Amino acid sequence: MNTKNLISEVFTDIESGKFEKASAFLADSFRGVLLGKEVSRPIYISAYRSLLKGFPDLHFNVQNVRTEGSKVSVQVKVTGTNSNAIPAFM
């Protein structure tokens, strides 16, 4: 599986509420960026769990994936309808 397909699968799992499966794809040393702040894997997954509650039709469109050594940079377009309250996530 190539990197873009793997990243797409992680976001598909998040969309489907399969957070444990999505988390399992990410290394223990994973660092993501949310709202300009670097966060650990558990916080990253928890934030998306909260967003899915507020945006039940949340959808991710992976648009650009760059790799440099063991680092991956991903540009994702996120769409969804805000139909519920969003719990605090950070």
Side-chain angles (χ1 to χ4, degrees):
M1 180 178 298
N2 69 35
T3 303
K4 183 173 182 178
N5 289 345
L6 177 63
I7 297 298
S8 294
E9 189 167 335
V10 169
F11 283 113
T12 296
D13 289 338
I14 291 170
E15 290 171 357
S16 303
K18 299 176 184 171
F19 299 104
E20 289 74 23
K21 184 177 176 190
S23 182
F25 277 110
L26 305 174
D28 290 340
S29 61
F30 172 85
R31 303 301 288 172
V33 177
L34 293 172
L35 303 174
K37 181 179 176 183
E38 189 175 289
V39 297
S40 65
R41 178 179 65 178
I43 293 171
Y44 189 82
I45 294 296
S46 177
Y48 282 115
R49 186 185 308 267
S50 293
L51 282 176
L52 192 60
K53 289 178 182 175
F55 296 83
D57 63 344
L58 193 65
H59 178 72
F60 301 93
N61 182 356
V62 177
Q63 297 184 329
N64 188 18
V65 176
R66 292 184 313 202
T67 59
E68 186 177 314
S70 64
K71 293 184 180 187
V72 178
S73 173
V74 181
Q75 181 181 21
V76 180
K77 181 177 181 180
V78 182
T79 58
T81 307
N82 182 209
S83 56
N84 296 311
I86 302 169
F89 62 86
M90 285 183 47

